[in-house]
Amino acid sequence: MHRPDPHSHYDAAQPKARRLRLKLGVDFADKRIAGDVVLEFGRAIAGPLDLDTKGLEIHSVQVPGHGPIPWDLGEADPILGQRLRIEVPEETTEIAISYRTGVDAMALQWLEPEQTEGKVAPYLFSQCQQIHARTMVPCQDTPVVRVAYQAEVNVPEGLTAVMSAGPAGDEALGNGRHLYRFTMPQPIPSYLLALAVGRLEARDLSPRARVWAEPETVAAAAWEFAGVEDMILKAEGLFGPYPWDRYDMLVLPPSFPYGGMENPRMTFLTPTLLAGDRSLVDVVAHELAHSWTGNLVTNASMEHFWLNEGFTVWAERRILRILHGEGAAALGWAMGQKALEDSLERFKDQPELTVLRMHLEGIDPDDAFSSIPYEKGARLVAALEQEVGEERFLRFIREYMDAFRFTSITTEQFCTFVGAKLPGALEAVNAKAYLDKPGLPDSSPKFRSVQLDAISTLASGWSSGSRPSAQQIAAWKPAELQVFLQKLPRQLSQSDCVWLDEHFQLMGRGNHEILVEWLTLAAAADYEPAFPRLREVLLRVGRMKFLRPLYGALGLHARTRALAREIFAAASPGYHGLSRRVVQSVLEAYPA
Ligand code: BES
Ligand code: ZN
């Protein structure tokens, strides 16, 4: 027995599924999916087969033509879930499992109509990364295994289903239900399975890109992301032809726990990106870049997550630089530096979670999640780029993609490849310090610009009275204001808050990065005029990146702690299970 992924029961001695055929019946009344999945192996297999499940009700396991076969559900592990062991008879090529999802499947969030923009119909969306696909489908839930898939999704008439796949037709079933078909011909890791069902409308942005959203937001979404084709072209210039045919996007309801999720052919996005000024499209650049770094070349397990995210952050800033110039990229690196410092501080007592090559046996990957694989990882990639020069590095990246396309790799495989193609480069940048040592090496690349230096100087002089001029205030772009706010002292006075809100009109900002940065400062200052806006944001938005700092800052004063507890009690039924867990852990760390 050899289990290559500490977060899966997958056994490398056993055969890998090659393709899934899914039938999913979406039941909004019960908040469950009734599922039939056929695992195709593409050849005759036999013997024990271990699948991942979590909270699933297994009804039957069959081999078509052979009938029911024996299966056994193992003990429930709080992180891994239950192993489903199937005794596969000789000459089997496919296995059919009939099942139903559990009521608290972590991959699924079932929204009441009131939690949507339109407020008239329910909504369902999935989020399978890291290891939640097993709460939706019994499968080999590890990126070591890649599967193509086809799916039929049965939903209430009037609702639309989308998946991380190409559309393959739909039909009214006549009984108040509607069937949507999908096909994903390219092999993907299970964490990229994705489904959303709701009142949806689409707008074409280019021949190969469209955006889906509720009818109430689709126009705003189409405006915000109108530049996506240009982004795809720039990304293709860097990484080669876009490998997934279409690039569609879905703007979700505000409880979506992430900024974006790179589901292939259907990036999922938080509606908090709809700033009204296209100032947050770097998240689209990021999810688009995953089409190469992550979806095409994939981490073999969460222990190598930096291969997905570090490369993608680097790629995102590379795209940004081409689109908006060196200054914009430098601001991106500065925002990343702040996120990295916050994460290093959060894990100061768990330095083992600050290395890139992680050891996650017995650790829930959602608990190990931080900006470290993103920003420390991106800095390692940038260091390699600076070491060998841009041109040579881009050639290397193309070779890397060619060598590993549609495979899932480890840090060791990556290092071996770099060793062969860029001899000496890993040693020259001291890659070992990034991979296996906590913290950030002093030698890591620094990203500066004149503008960034000016902003830093202003912010660090705040306590001694330096203030941006009226001219600067008028000229700053959203990213510049965001970095300025991030660099201010964490503990401001009430009059500091009054000054900031008056001069920057912060309370009414549509850019949620700015709004949340401001509300975090205001919460830490116990600044009462911000409480209503804080409450509004915390009741509406479930994005973990925002909830963590906001609830964290509310922990600093007795009055704001009481406010946080009161808001959480009201908001938590509307939060995604993942977000609820994060906030709970923040509240538990409050002083008694
Ligand atoms: N793949 C991630 C989201 C994710 C990570 C989901 C881990 C589940 C577990 C996605 O690509 C991402 O990184 N999103 C970021 C955006 C970004 C610009 C860094 C986010 O959600 O904030
Ligand atoms: Zn990412």
Side-chain angles (χ1 to χ4, degrees):
M1 188 183 85
H2 170 53
R3 279 177 42 192
D5 180 344
H7 296 119
S8 171
H9 290 102
Y10 168 68
D11 182 340
Q14 298 177 2
K16 292 179 179 172
R18 295 214 182 135
R19 197 163 171 277
L20 305 182
R21 300 203 302 275
L22 286 161
K23 286 188 182 164
L24 304 174
V26 177
D27 182 343
F28 279 101
D30 273 6
K31 299 189 165 48
R32 290 182 195 259
I33 292 177
D36 287 300
V37 60
V38 177
L39 293 92
E40 301 177 2
F41 292 85
R43 65 201 165 93
I45 64 158
L49 180 76
D50 296 334
L51 302 180
D52 294 300
T53 76
K54 199 171 187 183
L56 298 181
E57 235 174 58
I58 304 294
H59 298 155
S60 73
V61 180
Q62 312 218 356
V63 171
H66 184 287
I69 56 170
W71 53 272
D72 172 60
L73 266 186
E75 225 175 283
D77 176 275
I79 300 169
L80 270 66
Q82 285 173 287
R83 183 185 78 182
L84 172 62
R85 169 155 290 185
I86 302 169
E87 291 303 331
V88 182
E90 297 295 324
E91 293 302 310
T92 296
T93 57
E94 49 183 64
I95 294 170
I97 304 171
S98 180
Y99 68 97
R100 191 161 79 135
T101 57
V103 280
D104 42 29
M106 198 53 119
L108 304 176
Q109 190 179 12
W110 302 84
L111 299 179
E112 300 298 333
E114 304 74 59
Q115 290 175 272
T116 66
E117 209 61 54
K119 312 213 184 301
V120 296
Y123 198 108
L124 165 69
F125 69 82
S126 72
Q127 169 57 47
C128 287
Q129 200 180 15
Q130 301 283 9
I131 53 170
H132 307 303
R134 66 194 65 181
T135 69
M136 188 163 87
V137 186
C139 60
Q140 293 167 316
D141 195 9
T142 167
V144 177
V145 176
R146 306 178 75 97
V147 289
Y149 76 88
Q150 69 177 56
E152 289 182 8
V153 186
N154 180 320
V155 306
E157 190 63 76
L159 300 189
T160 300
V162 296
M163 288 193 86
S164 54
D170 68 286
E171 67 188 88
L173 296 175
N175 54 354
R177 308 284 300 180
H178 204 99
L179 192 74
Y180 288 87
R181 295 196 181 81
F182 301 93
T183 166
M184 170 46 96
Q186 292 123 321
I188 59 161
S190 54
Y191 76 82
L192 293 177
L193 276 171
L195 168 70
V197 180
R199 230 172 104 254
L200 300 177
E201 234 176 81
R203 293 276 186 282
D204 282 341
L205 304 174
S206 83
R208 58 174 162 176
R210 80 173 47 120
V211 63
W212 289 89
E214 286 187 71
E216 290 75 13
T217 41
V218 74
W223 186 87
E224 202 83 31
F225 305 130
V228 71
E229 179 61 33
D230 200 27
M231 254 183 205
I232 303 173
L233 291 169
K234 298 294 185 288
E236 286 186 313
L238 290 168
F239 308 125
Y242 178 70
W244 302 93
D245 188 23
R246 294 197 57 86
Y247 184 76
D248 295 337
M249 293 168 284
L250 170 68
V251 177
L252 286 118
S255 70
F256 186 60
Y258 290 97
M261 177 64 213
E262 66 270 27
N263 298 315
R265 297 178 187 232
M266 187 65 71
T267 281
F268 282 19
L269 297 170
T270 168
T272 60
L273 302 185
L274 303 177
D277 58 6
R278 298 181 181 152
S279 57
L280 296 175
V281 294
D282 55 327
V283 176
V284 176
H286 178 96
E287 306 312 334
L288 171 65
H290 271 307
S291 304
W292 290 267
T293 51
N295 297 1
L296 194 59
V297 181
T298 308
N299 55 211
S301 79
M302 301 326 143
E303 298 190 321
H304 310 282
F305 186 52
W306 81 274
L307 285 174
N308 273 21
E309 297 300 346
F311 265 91
T312 301
V313 167
W314 169 82
E316 162 203 334
R317 299 205 177 122
R318 221 47 183 59
I319 295 170
L320 212 65
R321 200 181 89 188
I322 298 172
L323 283 172
H324 304 299
E326 201 80 59
L331 288 165
W333 286 104
M335 292 172 196
Q337 184 72 30
K338 168 71 166 45
L340 179 56
E341 284 161 11
D342 287 353
S343 293
L344 289 172
E345 170 64 22
R346 174 152 68 94
F347 285 154
K348 64 175 184 301
D349 299 326
Q350 291 160 283
E352 69 282 4
L353 295 182
T354 72
V355 301
L356 290 181
R357 186 176 6 210
M358 302 235 248
H359 303 281
L360 294 178
E361 183 87 51
I363 298 175
D364 185 330
D366 288 325
D367 293 340
F369 179 80
S370 79
S371 291
I372 293 162
Y374 288 77
E375 296 295 340
K376 189 176 175 183
R379 280 157 180 76
L380 171 55
V381 178
L384 288 169
E385 181 181 28
Q386 292 183 1
E387 174 61 26
V388 303
E390 269 179 34
E391 215 172 296
R392 185 155 166 231
F393 192 71
L394 280 180
R395 263 202 318 276
F396 161 79
I397 287 288
R398 297 275 198 126
E399 287 177 315
Y400 171 62
M401 310 257 182
D402 276 347
F404 295 113
R405 55 193 285 120
F406 294 111
T407 68
S408 304
I409 66 167
T410 61
T411 302
E412 296 71 55
Q413 282 170 286
F414 169 74
C415 289
T416 306
F417 191 77
V418 180
K421 299 287 174 183
L422 304 172
L426 288 171
E427 296 73 18
V429 303
N430 195 11
K432 267 200 75 60
Y434 292 82
L435 297 175
D436 302 317
K437 299 249 157 58
L440 185 69
D442 291 333
S443 63
S444 75
K446 310 286 178 285
F447 302 90
R448 293 179 55 182
S449 70
V450 175
Q451 179 61 347
L452 188 54
D453 286 351
I455 292 170
S456 304
T457 308
L458 257 176
S460 59
W462 179 269
S463 307
S464 42
S466 78
R467 297 289 179 271
S469 67
Q471 203 185 354
Q472 284 167 317
I473 290 171
W476 275 354
K477 296 195 187 71
E480 291 162 336
L481 173 55
Q482 186 186 333
V483 170
F484 174 70
L485 294 175
Q486 286 181 335
K487 287 180 176 285
L488 285 179
R490 294 297 86 190
Q491 197 61 68
L492 295 178
S493 69
Q494 303 264 319
S495 59
D496 289 338
C497 289
V498 172
W499 194 95
L500 284 170
D501 190 27
E502 239 176 58
H503 287 81
F504 289 107
Q505 302 294 309
L506 294 167
M507 221 72 91
R509 289 277 165 163
N511 176 314
H512 270 68
E513 295 287 348
I514 291 173
L515 178 64
V516 168
E517 195 59 46
W518 153 244
L519 291 174
T520 304
L521 288 166
D526 192 21
Y527 181 61
E528 195 171 2
F531 291 179
R533 193 78 180 101
L534 256 164
R535 181 190 304 273
E536 235 167 52
V537 170
L538 291 173
L539 281 170
R540 187 182 129 79
V541 176
R543 186 175 173 189
M544 292 186 282
K545 178 183 179 187
F546 296 154
L547 297 184
R548 193 189 290 280
L550 286 174
Y551 279 103
L554 286 169
L556 298 175
H557 310 274
R559 175 169 77 162
T560 50
R561 283 196 289 277
L563 179 68
R565 292 200 180 95
E566 175 211 316
I567 295 175
F568 180 59
S572 99
Y575 286 162
H576 191 284
L578 290 165
S579 308
R580 202 176 301 134
R581 266 192 52 195
V582 162
V583 178
Q584 253 150 8
S585 76
V586 173
L587 294 187
E588 273 158 25
Y590 281 4

